[in-house]
Amino acid sequence: MKYSDGLGVEVTVHIEAAVPRVWELVSDIGLPARLSPELQSVAWLDGAARPVVGARFEGFNRHPMIGEWRTVSHVIEADERRAFGWAVTDADGRYGEATLDPARCMASWHYEIAAEGSGTRLRQTARIGPGRSGLLVAIENRPDREHQIIEFRLKELRAGMEATLHGIKELAEEDGGRSD
């Protein structure tokens, strides 16, 4: 497993709730901060109030090994009740040259929503790169441990994504899955 191969994680969950209810939760950028072990808070920027392509939001993150940092994310997909995606940029240059260019993102994240049986299938994916991130810095500092560093980080991402999706599932199902 090498960074140059392109890295990603995917997690899927079935939710006994209607697609509109799941979309309502997924499109709330503040919700993952309540569910994720790493993301601490988010806020829309530039007067944005909802996910539309081109909207931006900042996020504040904390990790026990690398501390705290800020990101600026750009909504790159907002297909209501179907998909929501964003590219995370290193606006402050924590891991190299500062950038707000989504094409040079540290990572991209996507939710895909689809009706499935009596409920909804929710899939979340995360893709690392192509821009610089803390993962790449760690690998550069210990190239002999690249495989172990990547394995550790992907395991962390998967655990955080599972916590987020199961939190969304619980919230969506608690009112019987209706979107009122």
Side-chain angles (χ1 to χ4, degrees):
M1 187 176 336
K2 300 187 85 42
Y3 186 88
S4 60
D5 294 336
L7 304 171
V9 177
E10 180 179 300
V11 177
T12 303
V13 66
H14 176 83
I15 301 173
E16 281 299 323
V19 167
R21 175 64 178 144
V22 174
W23 171 258
E24 177 185 323
L25 293 168
V26 163
S27 62
D28 174 1
I29 64 163
L31 184 60
R34 291 177 29 207
L35 304 171
S36 167
E38 194 167 296
L39 181 64
Q40 302 299 300
S41 66
V42 298
W44 287 109
L45 297 172
D46 311 319
R50 62 187 185 86
V52 296
V53 173
R56 299 181 327 144
F57 58 93
E58 66 182 345
F60 294 90
N61 301 276
R62 181 180 310 130
H63 188 281
M65 294 171 69
I66 59 175
E68 298 180 0
W69 70 99
R70 178 181 83 106
T71 62
V72 173
S73 293
H74 306 255
V75 176
I76 55 175
E77 184 174 17
D79 186 357
E80 189 166 341
R81 298 182 180 183
R82 296 188 65 216
F84 175 39
W86 62 97
V88 182
T89 61
D90 186 4
D92 300 325
R94 178 175 172 102
Y95 301 112
E97 182 182 339
T99 184
L100 289 173
D101 180 0
R104 294 176 43 213
C105 64
M106 293 189 291
S108 58
W109 296 79
H110 289 84
Y111 287 113
E112 296 174 28
I113 303 165
E116 179 179 75
S118 61
T120 301
R121 181 185 69 242
L122 177 60
R123 176 179 295 129
Q124 183 179 31
T125 58
R127 299 285 172 243
I128 308 301
R132 292 183 60 76
S133 67
L135 178 60
L136 187 54
V137 170
I139 292 167
E140 288 171 348
N141 288 336
R142 292 296 309 267
D144 58 312
R145 307 238 6 219
E146 180 175 16
H147 179 80
Q148 292 90 352
I149 292 167
I150 290 170
E151 187 175 302
F152 179 81
R153 183 59 177 152
L154 294 181
K155 183 177 177 183
E156 280 185 322
L157 288 174
R158 179 175 300 286
M161 292 163 68
E162 287 173 348
T164 299
L165 290 191
H166 288 287
I168 290 170
K169 175 180 173 66
E170 186 175 310
L171 289 168
E173 292 177 348
E174 75 185 15
D175 66 355
R178 290 181 302 279
S179 182
D180 301 326

